[in-house]
């Protein structure tokens, strides 16, 4: 799955709240793409560093994206855009293929754009 940077509290609050006192808490979210297809993604906080002596992980991830990436023929360097809806746990998802790297809606409320390992502001 893709990493969700934990250093950005606004980004973490964009997705459902996960309880860090629970070992590897997760939430399933539903994303609808531009063709109307629904994708079930797992938002998970791998936190075994705090729940196991041998644990090393302390990271947030979105998993189950591979089928979506294959269907959309996503390529490295493209942007993955999530837009919140009025329904908790439901988002719009799209791949932005803008060649100049500009994001028209970056920084808009309810929109999160990820490229590489970071959020685009």
């Amino acid at each position: 799955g893709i990493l969700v940077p934990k250093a950005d509290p606004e980004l973490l609050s964009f997705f459902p709240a996960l309880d860090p006192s629970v070992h590897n808490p997760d939430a399933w979210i539903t994303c609808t793409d531009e063709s109307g297809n629904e994708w079930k993604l797992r938002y998970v906080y791998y936190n075994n560093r705090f729940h196991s002596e041998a644990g090393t992980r302390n990271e947030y991830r979105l998993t189950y994206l591979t089928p979506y990436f294959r269907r959309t023929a996503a390529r490295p360097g493209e942007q993955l855009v999530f837009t919140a809806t009025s329904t908790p746990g439901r988002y719009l998802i799209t791949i932005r293929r803008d060649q100049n790297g500009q994001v028209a809606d970056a920084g808009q409320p309810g929109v999160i754009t990820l490229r590489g390992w970071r959020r685009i502001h």
Side-chain angles (χ1 to χ4, degrees), residues 72-86:
T72 59
R75 308 288 298 160
E78 294 177 332
Q79 301 161 359
L80 178 61
V81 180
F82 291 91
T83 304
T85 68
S86 59

Side-chain angles (χ1 to χ4, degrees), residues 2 4 23-24 26-27 30 32-33 37 39 41-42 47 55 66 73 75 78-79 81 89 99 104 109-111 115:
I2 64 170
V4 178
H23 181 243
N24 295 340
D26 67 352
T30 302
T32 305
D33 67 20
N37 299 310
W39 304 89
L41 306 181
R42 182 179 180 227
N47 63 2
T66 301
R75 308 288 298 160
E78 294 177 332
Q79 301 161 359
V81 180
Q99 296 302 314
V111 177
R115 179 174 55 201

Side-chain angles (χ1 to χ4, degrees), residues 17-121:
L18 300 178
D19 183 354
S21 69
V22 174
H23 181 243
N24 295 340
D26 67 352
W28 287 90
I29 63 174
T30 302
C31 297
T32 305
D33 67 20
E34 57 275 3
S35 298
N37 299 310
E38 287 194 349
W39 304 89
K40 301 285 186 190
L41 306 181
R42 182 179 180 227
Y43 176 54
V44 59
Y45 177 34
Y46 290 115
N47 63 2
N48 68 2
R49 171 185 255 175
F50 307 109
H51 294 276
S52 169
E53 271 188 45
T56 60
R57 293 181 80 180
N58 178 24
E59 61 194 29
Y60 291 84
R61 293 213 171 247
L62 282 167
T63 62
Y64 292 84
L65 275 161
T66 301
Y68 173 73
F69 287 150
R70 286 186 180 143
R71 176 91 178 250
T72 59
R75 308 288 298 160
E78 294 177 332
Q79 301 161 359
L80 178 61
V81 180
F82 291 91
T83 304
T85 68
S86 59
T87 305
R90 294 191 69 90
Y91 302 85
L92 303 177
I93 189 173
T94 190
I95 297 290
R96 178 148 314 118
R97 294 181 160 89
D98 183 37
Q99 296 302 314
N100 66 13
Q102 299 300 311
V103 181
D105 53 6
Q108 296 296 313
V111 177
I112 294 291
T113 303
L114 300 174
R115 179 174 55 201
W117 295 96
R118 70 186 199 292
R119 174 182 168 184
I120 299 174
H121 296 277

